[in-house]
Amino acid sequence: MKKIALGIIGLAAVATLAACGNANASSSNQLDKVKKAGVLKVALSPDYPPFEFQMIKNGKNAIVGSDVDLANAIGKKLGVKVQIESMDFNNVLASLTTGKADIAISGISKTPSREKSVNFSNVYYSSDNYLVVKKSDLNKYTSISDFKGKKIAAQKGSIQEGIVTNQLKGAAEIALPQIGDEINEIKGGQVQGAVIEELIAKSYVAANPDLAISKVTLKMPEDSYGSAVALPKGSSELTKVVNSVIKEQLKNGQIDKDIQKNYALSEANK
């Protein structure tokens, strides 16, 4: 019985090692896979201006934004075409494990919990979060306690969900797939506010005169280190290439230029 048990354990160990070896081999070959295919598939949720959003370009619907510019720069570095895979934000990271995407660039916060399942590049952007409310309610909600018993929206699968849960104690968190949904829910009175990243919040408020940014200050979550590119777990070689592009663009200021350019574009598009 002991030999059988040891044999089973041994076979299980071999199988585990083989599985790990195959997974590591697959992940480490992610760079070769992309180059061989000649296409870099990029997952994003196009409802996050100025990082990724939709607009009519040359008579056709197009997905643009500073994250798209970064994706194109990575594609150029690799010498491949870029193929945008549009989806709801809560599916963006999952697309890396299913093989639907090679990388994900969608204002994704780099957190320790997420790092357990994906590779992350270096951070390319950091920002605060704002609480958007109806302008008519601006003086009604001046402290966190004022939101007790109220409904606060956040994008499903985002870091903003945790901000509502951890900082707005007593408020009910309403998870919605799109930021546009959050804006509509505020305007319709179904929720009393929404936690949205700084530039995106400013963009939506500028386009909606009946909305405003609350006077309530939100803290940056301790487990948030800014936005980064997500890749399949173990894809170290592809991560190196992505980091080299980010390093260069942070050094020459290209990322900031693209953010400001696309912010102006998103404002003009409304």
Side-chain angles (χ1 to χ4, degrees), residues 111-184:
T111 66
S113 59
R114 287 174 174 168
E115 283 186 292
K116 293 176 182 178
S117 56
V118 300
N119 265 30
F120 270 116
S121 70
N122 295 333
V123 169
Y124 64 85
Y125 178 76
S126 294
S127 180
D128 292 328
N129 288 279
Y130 287 164
L131 186 53
V132 177
V133 298
K134 276 187 177 181
K135 183 176 270 187
S136 58
D137 289 338
L138 195 56
N139 294 321
K140 182 178 180 181
Y141 303 118
T142 59
S143 67
I144 286 178
S145 61
D146 291 335
F147 288 98
K148 188 174 182 180
K150 306 301 180 183
K151 295 178 181 178
I152 305 297
Q155 189 171 33
K156 190 175 182 180
S158 71
I159 198 73
Q160 285 74 29
E161 278 195 287
I163 291 176
V164 176
T165 303
N166 297 323
Q167 296 188 39
L168 295 165
K169 302 292 186 181
E173 190 258 321
I174 306 298
L176 298 170
Q178 303 284 339
I179 293 178
D181 297 333
E182 298 175 47
I183 297 300
N184 290 333

Side-chain angles (χ1 to χ4, degrees), residues 4 64 67 76:
I4 292 172
V64 298
D67 280 351
K76 184 177 180 180

Side-chain angles (χ1 to χ4, degrees), residues 67-82:
D67 280 351
V68 176
D69 292 336
L70 178 56
N72 287 330
I74 295 169
K76 184 177 180 180
K77 182 79 171 181
L78 293 168
V80 300
K81 294 180 181 179
V82 171

